[in-house]
Each structure stands twice: as C-alpha cells, then as structure tokens.
Amino acid sequence: LALYFHSGEREEKCIIEDIPTDTLVIGNYKVQRWDIHKHEFLESAPGLGMFVTVTTPSAEVLLSKLYGPEGTFSFTSHLSGEHIICLQSNSTRFIAFAGSKLRIHLDIRVGEHFLDESVLQAKDKVNAVNFRLEHLIEQIHHISKEQNYEREREEKFRKTSEETNSNILWWAIVQTLILISIGIWQIKSLRDFFISKKLV
C-alpha cells in the first residue's frame, strides 16, 4: 500500500489495514510542508515530528512512538483483523497562524522483509542466492497465511449469511401465520356479527 494524503498541523489521520495474525508490518513515511510563499510542498519538513499510533482490533495500543519528519516504523500483529494506523504531527505552532498544510507519503508493506542490497553485494553469489531463496520462502509463508485468513473470513461471512437467511425465512413464516390468524379472526367476527343482527 503506497499513498499520500494531506493533513493539517496537529491533525490526526488514520488508515485501516486488515492484517492476519503474527504478521510483520513495515511502514515508511515522509512529511512535506506547504510553503505559502513558494506555493509548493517543500522536499522536507525539518524539525517536524510524527506520532505514530497502531491500535489492534481489540483496541489495544500496539505502537505509540514519536518519529522524525521521515522514518520507518514496524510492528507484528498479535490478532487478525482491522488494525488502525494513525499519524499526527507534533507541530507546536498555532493552527490559526500556521497557514500551511502537510503532505504525508506513506508506504506500508504487510508481511514483507525488505532485502538489504548491501548485504547481497557484500556476500558471494552462492550466499546471495541463498538469501534470496530465504526471502522467497518467507513470502510464500506470508501468502499462505493470507490465504488462510481470507478463508476464515469467507467462512465467517458465509455463516453470517446463512443465519441471516434462516432468520428471514422464519420471520416470513411467522408473518404468514399472523396474517392467516387475523384473517380467520376477522371472518369469524363478521360471521358472528351477521348472526347477531340476524342477517344470515
């Protein structure tokens, strides 16, 4: 997932990532500040920091840390489900006088370990191939884990759909019985009324 978004100073922006259990997540970000004189985003925002907060599906705070204007954060999920990743600048300037906005570039990799090219170059070809193979095996494990997680979600969704359909069927049967009962009661009431008035 690679994206960028605009944010006001001290404004918190969050994204939701659906992550399987025991999965490594690595995030890279870079902050640019809007220059009101040049009318463009500056390449960097020195002196500006970012609070990164990660919350699990059970509302447990997994990560809460202050980083610089550009940085990398990582965490490992303990539960499967929707994790909330929030970023907020630590600007001390008053918003009313800031007159600027921030552009945050964010790149999130789920279940992926980055290949260190310097390590690859420092080793001979056999070790480099071995290192790449280990990396591929790791990615295969992650894909397998993702597939299992999607299977679990699909099963939960199917069960929910079946329960909903069953409830709708029973509700339709109950409604039909109520309507039949009311119809029989109305016919009986009309018959008794006509008999009492000696119309029948």
Side-chain angles (χ1 to χ4, degrees):
L1 172 68
L3 55 90
Y4 77 83
F5 52 88
H6 293 156
S7 171
E9 295 191 53
R10 301 292 296 172
E11 182 184 359
E12 187 178 55
K13 292 281 187 175
C14 298
I15 63 165
I16 296 172
E17 273 290 312
D18 207 346
I19 305 167
T21 186
D22 295 324
T23 301
L24 175 67
V25 178
I26 299 173
N28 287 306
Y29 73 87
K30 178 183 177 182
V31 183
Q32 295 175 301
R33 193 198 294 272
W34 176 257
D35 190 298
I36 55 174
H37 303 297
K38 294 181 180 178
H39 297 286
E40 64 180 6
F41 284 99
L42 300 176
E43 269 309 299
S44 62
L48 190 69
M50 293 296 289
F51 285 108
V52 179
T53 308
V54 179
T55 310
T56 66
S58 61
E60 176 194 349
V61 176
L62 197 59
L63 173 70
S64 181
K65 192 174 177 182
L66 175 63
Y67 295 86
E70 188 173 348
T72 300
F73 61 89
S74 64
F75 64 91
T76 302
S77 61
H78 303 306
L79 292 171
S80 58
E82 293 182 341
H83 288 66
I84 303 171
I85 302 168
C86 297
L87 292 93
Q88 181 183 27
S89 73
N90 71 335
S91 172
T92 54
R93 304 191 322 173
F94 292 108
I95 293 173
F97 300 104
S100 67
K101 58 184 174 181
L102 304 173
R103 177 182 282 174
I104 302 168
H105 298 264
L106 181 62
D107 182 18
I108 292 177
R109 306 287 178 93
V110 178
E112 183 176 329
H113 294 274
F114 295 119
L115 282 171
D116 190 343
E117 293 299 330
S118 62
V119 172
L120 290 178
Q121 290 167 6
K123 294 179 179 290
D124 58 33
K125 287 185 179 179
V126 175
N127 286 340
V129 170
N130 187 44
F131 187 71
R132 285 187 185 276
L133 277 173
E134 286 177 6
H135 181 73
L136 285 171
I137 289 166
E138 217 169 73
Q139 285 184 316
I140 289 167
H141 285 315
H142 171 66
I143 291 166
S144 175
K145 197 185 292 180
E146 281 272 357
Q147 287 176 333
N148 289 336
Y149 178 55
E150 290 302 324
R151 233 177 264 117
E152 285 173 19
R153 288 185 62 195
E154 188 182 342
E155 193 177 334
K156 281 181 188 175
F157 181 75
R158 186 176 51 78
K159 282 181 181 175
T160 305
S161 299
E162 285 174 359
E163 286 173 9
T164 304
N165 289 337
S166 176
N167 290 339
I168 290 169
L169 176 65
W170 281 110
W171 176 239
I173 290 169
V174 168
Q175 279 184 317
T176 305
L177 290 173
I178 289 169
L179 286 171
I180 290 170
S181 301
I182 290 171
I184 291 169
W185 177 77
Q186 283 181 330
I187 291 168
K188 187 178 181 302
S189 298
L190 279 171
R191 186 171 166 276
D192 291 344
F193 174 76
F194 288 144
I195 289 170
S196 65
K197 296 295 182 181
K198 297 182 179 177
L199 296 172
V200 177

